[in-house]
Amino acid sequence: MLWVRIDNRLVHGQVIETWLPYTKARTIIVINDELADDMIRQEIMHLAIPQDISLVFSKVVKADKAIAQARQLRHNASILLLFSTCNDAKIAYNHGVTFSQLNIGNLHYGPGKKQICDHVALGAEDITCLKFFSKQGIELDFRCVPTKPVQVAAW
């Protein structure tokens, strides 16, 4: 199974303590162009991950290849994809990464963004991106942690 999450923070405590057990993912793929080229930050993130979990970094347009490789190595075990922005998820989707549900876990507030719940603030680009996914029939799931109910009915 493929779990897809947008979270500005990428790998952090909520992902490790709540989403990994919930998804039963054996592999985390961080899909982010900047991190894919930053070995120091990758090493730091590896320190936070349990030893039995694979952590992979991929450029956005190569995400489909990283997923295929992880599925082959882990015999189709669950995979958790982490994107830092909705636009990165959209680019990966347009490059062959298919999924039916998208968790919007955390998007920080910034100038020009509207806070829609305590963990998500959307700007015009985010709204356009989420509308794209909605039109594709992808279920949008606004939860910070899996044990909480979906906190956003409309955005």
Side-chain angles (χ1 to χ4, degrees):
M1 178 135 198
L2 196 61
W3 299 88
V4 184
R5 176 176 171 87
I6 299 170
D7 189 326
N8 293 130
R9 300 171 294 171
L10 296 170
V11 177
H12 59 89
Q14 287 176 344
V15 170
I16 297 163
E17 295 297 323
T18 64
W19 286 100
L20 274 179
Y22 178 77
T23 63
K24 298 180 177 37
R26 308 304 303 151
T27 301
I28 298 173
I29 303 176
V30 176
I31 302 170
N32 181 278
D33 288 346
E34 185 180 320
L35 278 174
D37 291 330
D38 189 337
M39 298 303 287
I40 292 173
R41 289 178 60 199
Q42 288 181 22
E43 288 299 319
I44 292 168
M45 288 187 177
H46 273 287
L47 294 174
I49 301 295
Q51 290 183 348
D52 60 336
I53 303 296
S54 295
L55 179 61
V56 176
F57 295 87
S58 173
K59 291 198 174 270
V60 176
V61 298
K62 295 181 177 179
D64 60 330
K65 292 176 180 62
I67 294 165
Q69 187 174 26
R71 283 183 167 149
Q72 187 175 22
L73 291 173
R74 289 286 187 148
H75 308 289
N76 292 319
S78 288
I79 298 170
L80 178 59
L81 302 183
L82 297 175
F83 293 95
S84 65
T85 68
C86 188
N87 194 50
D88 281 353
K90 183 179 174 185
I91 292 169
Y93 183 86
N94 286 332
H95 280 82
V97 176
T98 59
F99 45 89
S100 59
Q101 185 177 40
L102 178 62
N103 170 251
I104 298 89
N106 191 49
L107 289 171
H108 292 284
Y109 181 80
K113 289 189 167 193
K114 177 183 172 189
Q115 194 81 38
I116 63 165
C117 66
D118 62 346
H119 58 91
V120 176
L122 300 176
E125 184 178 331
D126 299 317
I127 291 170
T128 299
C129 183
L130 292 175
K131 284 181 178 177
F132 167 81
F133 283 121
S134 184
K135 287 180 183 173
Q136 303 303 311
I138 295 170
E139 180 185 346
L140 302 178
D141 169 15
F142 292 84
R143 288 185 294 169
C144 205
V145 293
T147 54
K148 298 264 181 164
V150 174
Q151 298 179 358
V152 176
W155 38 274

